[in-house]
Short mmCIF file of all heavy atoms in Angstrom, two decimals:
data_model
loop_
_atom_site.label_atom_id
_atom_site.label_comp_id
_atom_site.label_asym_id
_atom_site.label_seq_id
_atom_site.Cartn_x
_atom_site.Cartn_y
_atom_site.Cartn_z
N SER A 181 -0.42 10.11 -4.40
CA SER A 181 -0.89 9.87 -5.76
C SER A 181 -1.99 10.85 -6.15
O SER A 181 -1.92 11.51 -7.19
CB SER A 181 -1.41 8.43 -5.87
OG SER A 181 -2.05 8.21 -7.11
N ASP A 182 -3.01 10.99 -5.30
CA ASP A 182 -4.16 11.81 -5.64
C ASP A 182 -3.86 13.30 -5.64
O ASP A 182 -4.55 14.08 -6.31
CB ASP A 182 -5.31 11.51 -4.69
CG ASP A 182 -5.86 10.10 -4.86
OD1 ASP A 182 -5.55 9.47 -5.89
OD2 ASP A 182 -6.58 9.62 -3.96
N SER A 183 -2.86 13.72 -4.87
CA SER A 183 -2.51 15.14 -4.82
C SER A 183 -1.65 15.57 -6.01
O SER A 183 -1.40 16.77 -6.20
CB SER A 183 -1.74 15.45 -3.53
OG SER A 183 -0.46 14.83 -3.54
N GLY A 184 -1.20 14.62 -6.81
CA GLY A 184 -0.33 14.92 -7.93
C GLY A 184 1.14 14.88 -7.58
O GLY A 184 2.00 15.02 -8.46
N GLY A 185 1.45 14.67 -6.30
CA GLY A 185 2.85 14.65 -5.88
C GLY A 185 3.64 13.53 -6.51
O GLY A 185 4.82 13.71 -6.87
N ALA A 186 3.01 12.36 -6.69
CA ALA A 186 3.71 11.23 -7.29
C ALA A 186 4.11 11.56 -8.73
O ALA A 186 5.21 11.22 -9.18
CB ALA A 186 2.83 9.99 -7.24
N ARG A 187 3.22 12.21 -9.47
CA ARG A 187 3.54 12.57 -10.86
C ARG A 187 4.66 13.61 -10.92
O ARG A 187 5.51 13.56 -11.82
CB ARG A 187 2.29 13.09 -11.56
CG ARG A 187 1.26 12.01 -11.84
CD ARG A 187 0.12 12.51 -12.71
NE ARG A 187 -0.71 13.49 -12.02
CZ ARG A 187 -1.68 13.18 -11.18
NH1 ARG A 187 -1.93 11.92 -10.89
NH2 ARG A 187 -2.40 14.13 -10.62
N VAL A 188 4.65 14.54 -9.97
CA VAL A 188 5.71 15.55 -9.92
C VAL A 188 7.07 14.89 -9.69
O VAL A 188 8.06 15.21 -10.36
CB VAL A 188 5.42 16.57 -8.80
CG1 VAL A 188 6.63 17.47 -8.56
CG2 VAL A 188 4.21 17.41 -9.15
N ILE A 189 7.11 13.94 -8.75
CA ILE A 189 8.36 13.22 -8.47
C ILE A 189 8.83 12.47 -9.71
O ILE A 189 10.01 12.51 -10.08
CB ILE A 189 8.16 12.25 -7.29
CG1 ILE A 189 7.90 13.03 -5.99
CG2 ILE A 189 9.38 11.34 -7.12
CD1 ILE A 189 7.47 12.16 -4.83
N ALA A 190 7.90 11.78 -10.37
CA ALA A 190 8.26 10.99 -11.56
C ALA A 190 8.80 11.89 -12.67
O ALA A 190 9.85 11.60 -13.26
CB ALA A 190 7.04 10.21 -12.05
N ARG A 191 8.11 12.98 -12.97
CA ARG A 191 8.55 13.87 -14.04
C ARG A 191 9.93 14.46 -13.73
O ARG A 191 10.78 14.59 -14.61
CB ARG A 191 7.54 15.01 -14.25
CG ARG A 191 6.24 14.57 -14.90
CD ARG A 191 5.50 15.77 -15.44
NE ARG A 191 5.23 16.77 -14.41
CZ ARG A 191 4.11 16.87 -13.72
NH1 ARG A 191 3.13 15.99 -13.94
NH2 ARG A 191 3.93 17.80 -12.83
N THR A 192 10.13 14.83 -12.47
CA THR A 192 11.40 15.46 -12.09
C THR A 192 12.55 14.49 -12.21
O THR A 192 13.61 14.82 -12.76
CB THR A 192 11.31 16.00 -10.65
OG1 THR A 192 10.21 16.90 -10.55
CG2 THR A 192 12.60 16.72 -10.26
N LEU A 193 12.38 13.27 -11.72
CA LEU A 193 13.47 12.29 -11.77
C LEU A 193 13.81 11.89 -13.20
O LEU A 193 14.98 11.79 -13.57
CB LEU A 193 13.10 11.06 -10.94
CG LEU A 193 13.04 11.24 -9.42
CD1 LEU A 193 12.63 9.93 -8.76
CD2 LEU A 193 14.39 11.69 -8.88
N VAL A 194 12.78 11.67 -14.01
CA VAL A 194 13.03 11.29 -15.39
C VAL A 194 13.64 12.45 -16.16
O VAL A 194 14.56 12.28 -16.97
CB VAL A 194 11.74 10.80 -16.07
CG1 VAL A 194 11.96 10.57 -17.56
CG2 VAL A 194 11.24 9.53 -15.41
N GLY A 195 13.17 13.66 -15.88
CA GLY A 195 13.70 14.83 -16.55
C GLY A 195 15.14 15.13 -16.21
O GLY A 195 15.84 15.82 -16.97
N ALA A 196 15.62 14.61 -15.09
CA ALA A 196 17.00 14.86 -14.66
C ALA A 196 18.00 13.95 -15.37
O ALA A 196 19.21 14.13 -15.21
CB ALA A 196 17.12 14.68 -13.15
#
Side-chain angles (χ1 to χ4, degrees):
S181 172
D182 293 345
S183 68
R187 289 188 292 277
V188 169
I189 293 170
R191 288 198 303 265
T192 304
L193 291 179
V194 173

